[in-house]
Amino acid sequence: MDKKVQNKVNGIIHEINAIARELEEISYGLGNEFKGIGATQSAASLQQAASKYRRVGHELRKI
């Protein structure tokens, strides 16, 4: 793969990981700051989204 393209892919992976971290932080905050079924479901949903972002990042590393 061309070095320029590889650098661009690495930048995308970095951004994807940053988004996943932010989603995890928000999920953690929801779980600690709010109580109830809605907060629990929202936190779980954010964790699932973060996991999906991480999987995309892992797939991009394989390229």
Side-chain angles (χ1 to χ4, degrees):
M1 182 182 308
D2 182 87
K3 185 69 172 169
K4 194 173 190 179
V5 174
Q6 185 63 45
N7 287 339
K8 196 162 207 128
V9 170
N10 287 339
I12 292 168
I13 292 169
H14 178 73
E15 288 297 318
I16 286 172
N17 287 335
I19 292 168
R21 278 191 305 275
E22 286 182 36
L23 289 171
E24 289 170 342
E25 288 174 14
I26 294 168
S27 172
Y28 180 76
L30 273 174
N32 286 334
E33 297 292 323
F34 301 98
K35 300 297 176 205
I37 294 172
T40 303
Q41 289 176 337
S42 295
S45 179
L46 288 170
Q47 283 293 332
Q48 288 175 347
S51 292
K52 289 177 183 178
Y53 273 94
R54 292 210 186 273
R55 272 185 250 140
V56 169
H58 289 299
E59 289 298 316
L60 285 174
R61 279 192 191 93
K62 294 179 183 178
I63 296 177

